[in-house]
């Protein structure tokens, strides 16, 4: 009987603790920090009080507002995701800097949002994820983003940004994903990008396609554990062989439509590779026979280069048609029409 009573008391205590925790979380959500609410209302006002923010009213807790995410314990606003509204117009409001606990900021598919990325973004010291994509935002990729020491992912794709990739991004110790594709960037790549990232703990993702970037792939990139690298449709040149290596974790690599020139015969293909596009460059040598052992390979394009020799048979190579190999004057064998002599 004593054992039963003790068990019932323990159960009661556990239930009370759960109720208290739930009540605390609910209270935190309802509390809605006055500073966060003021900042959000200022953002709404700066954008002209559009219908998109109809739920943002002083009478309701800001943690219940559309697009807003709050920490369940503290009640502070940690996420703001505004997306897919062509009717929103204006610039990114400076009032966003008032959300001092913000960890995730997403402004996505807002074509009416224009102007530069404001310095207010650089004051969000707790930011881990920053997305400003598919907007009319223009101007440079600001160097003050290098002050966001907790930043993990940066997505500035599909905008009208100009200038160079700022070297200040190389100072960020936790930044592992950069996507600034589909802009108007110029200049060369910062050689120390991702250099502070612990490659034993985190793989890197770099997407810079459809810009006007020049120069070569920095030799320092050979030490980066890339899982994905997309440098396609730029004006890069020179040797990119440092991105390759049998033991490297690269799964997707797109270097197409540049002016890269290196000996493909001399590289070892990453064993985890599932997508490789080297087309439209000045790459020479032969296709490594190792390619037939890449069991995950689903896309392989080396057309419009200066390759020679036979297309290696076997493995997944039978799934790639002539389009993957065409316009290499000295490449031969199936699926090409030219037989090897």
């Amino acid at each position: 009987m004593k054992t039963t009573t003790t068990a019932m008391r323990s159960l009661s205590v556990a239930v009370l603790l759960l109720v208290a925790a739930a009540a605390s979380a609910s209270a935190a959500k309802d509390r809605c920090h006055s500073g966060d609410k003021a900042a959000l209302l200022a953002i709404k006002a700066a954008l002209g009080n559009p219908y998109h923010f109809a739920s943002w009213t002083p009478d309701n807790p800001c943690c219940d507002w559309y697009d807003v995410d709050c920490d369940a314990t503290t009640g502070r606003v940690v996420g703001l995701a505004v997306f897919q509204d062509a009717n929103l117009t204006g610039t990114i409001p400076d009032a966003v800097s008032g959300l001092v606990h913000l960890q995730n900021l997403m402004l996505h598919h807002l074509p009416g949002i224009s102007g530069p990325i404001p310095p207010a973004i650089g004051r969000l010291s707790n930011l881990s994820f920053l997305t400003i994509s598919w907007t009319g935002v223009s101007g440079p990729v600001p160097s003050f983003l290098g002050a966001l020491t907790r930043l993990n992912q940066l997505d500035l794709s599909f905008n009208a940004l100009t200038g160079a990739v700022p070297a200040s991004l190389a100072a960020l110790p936790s930044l592992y994903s950069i996507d600034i594709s589909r802009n108007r960037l110029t200049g060369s790549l910062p050689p120390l990008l991702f250099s502070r990232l612990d490659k034993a703990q985190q793989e890197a993702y770099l997407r810079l396609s459809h810009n006007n970037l020049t120069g070569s792939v920095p030799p320092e990139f050979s030490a980066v554990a890339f899982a994905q690298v997309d440098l396609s449709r730029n004006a890069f040149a020179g040797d990119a062989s440092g991105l390759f290596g049998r033991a490297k974790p690269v799964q997707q690599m797109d270097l197409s439509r540049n002016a890269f020139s290196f000996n493909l015969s001399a590289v070892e293909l990453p064993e985890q590779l599932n997508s490789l596009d080297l087309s439209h460059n000045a790459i020479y040598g032969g296709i490594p026979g190792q390619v037939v052992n890449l069991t995950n390979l689903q896309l392989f394009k080396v057309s419009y280069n200066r390759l020679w020799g036979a297309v290696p048979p076997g493995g997944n190579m039978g799934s790639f048609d002539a389009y993957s190999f065409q316009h290499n004057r000295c490449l031969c064998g199936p699926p090409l029409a030219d037989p090897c002599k």
Side-chain angles (χ1 to χ4, degrees):
M1 185 71 178
K2 184 176 181 180
T3 302
T4 303
T5 303
T6 301
M8 291 181 65
R9 286 177 178 173
S10 299
L11 180 61
S12 299
V13 170
V15 170
L16 288 172
L17 288 173
L18 287 172
V19 171
S24 177
S26 177
K29 183 178 181 181
D30 294 340
R31 189 161 59 239
C32 185
H33 191 274
S34 59
D36 292 341
K37 176 177 278 191
L40 290 168
L41 290 174
I43 291 171
K44 176 183 178 182
L47 293 172
N49 296 303
Y51 178 76
H52 185 95
F53 302 116
S55 66
W56 293 22
T57 62
D59 299 333
N60 297 320
C62 64
C63 294
D64 291 335
W65 294 355
Y66 187 68
D67 295 340
V68 176
D69 183 36
C70 290
D71 183 272
T73 302
T74 65
R76 300 303 300 260
V77 172
V78 294
L80 177 62
V82 185
F83 53 92
Q84 292 185 328
D85 192 334
N87 296 316
L88 281 182
T89 59
T91 59
I92 299 174
D94 290 332
V96 71
S97 65
L99 300 173
V100 295
H101 287 261
L102 201 64
Q103 299 173 18
N104 184 359
L105 175 61
M106 175 186 287
L107 305 174
H108 175 65
H109 226 296
L110 306 172
I113 298 298
S114 58
I117 298 174
I121 299 291
R123 294 194 285 273
L124 298 173
S125 59
N126 289 298
L127 209 59
S128 296
F129 305 95
L130 174 60
T131 298
I132 303 173
S133 61
W134 293 82
T135 74
V137 168
S138 59
V141 179
S143 59
F144 59 68
L145 294 181
L148 302 176
T149 56
R150 298 187 180 183
L151 197 64
N152 297 144
Q153 297 183 22
L154 176 64
D155 184 353
L156 302 178
S157 61
F158 289 87
N159 294 299
L161 298 170
T162 55
V165 178
S168 61
L169 295 180
L172 300 179
S174 302
L175 182 63
Y176 66 83
S177 178
I178 297 175
D179 187 350
I180 322 180
S181 54
R182 302 271 181 170
N183 280 280
R184 302 169 187 171
L185 301 182
T186 55
S188 57
L189 296 175
L192 299 181
L193 211 59
F194 300 115
S195 62
R196 298 193 61 190
L197 193 65
D198 185 352
K199 65 179 181 180
Q201 300 292 327
Q202 181 63 61
E203 297 169 349
Y205 300 79
L206 180 62
R207 307 171 191 90
L208 296 173
S209 69
H210 292 78
N211 281 288
N212 298 304
L213 294 164
T214 57
S216 59
V217 174
E220 291 84 353
F221 277 22
S222 63
V224 178
F226 285 110
Q228 180 183 24
V229 55
D230 185 352
L231 304 179
S232 62
R233 293 179 182 267
N234 280 282
F236 291 115
D239 188 2
S241 61
L243 296 172
F244 294 84
R246 186 183 296 267
K248 292 190 175 182
V250 182
Q251 298 177 34
Q252 299 175 339
M253 185 185 300
D254 191 345
L255 306 181
S256 63
R257 296 182 184 272
N258 283 284
F260 287 120
S261 179
F262 58 91
N263 185 358
L264 188 60
S265 303
V267 307
E268 289 188 327
L269 302 176
E271 292 184 340
Q272 299 182 42
L273 203 61
N274 62 51
S275 174
L276 178 64
D277 191 344
L278 302 178
S279 61
H280 295 269
N281 282 287
I283 300 169
Y284 56 92
I287 299 174
Q290 179 210 352
V291 69
V292 302
N293 299 322
L294 302 181
T295 56
N296 296 324
L297 196 62
Q298 299 177 19
L299 184 148
F300 185 74
K301 292 183 179 180
V302 293
S303 55
Y304 292 89
N305 278 287
R306 301 173 183 174
L307 300 176
W308 60 70
V311 175
N316 289 348
M317 297 300 281
S319 62
F320 307 126
D321 59 20
Y323 178 77
S324 297
F325 308 98
Q326 66 186 5
H327 292 280
N328 286 279
R329 183 173 296 179
C330 297
L331 204 59
C332 61
L336 296 170
D338 297 329
C340 294
K341 298 177 182 178

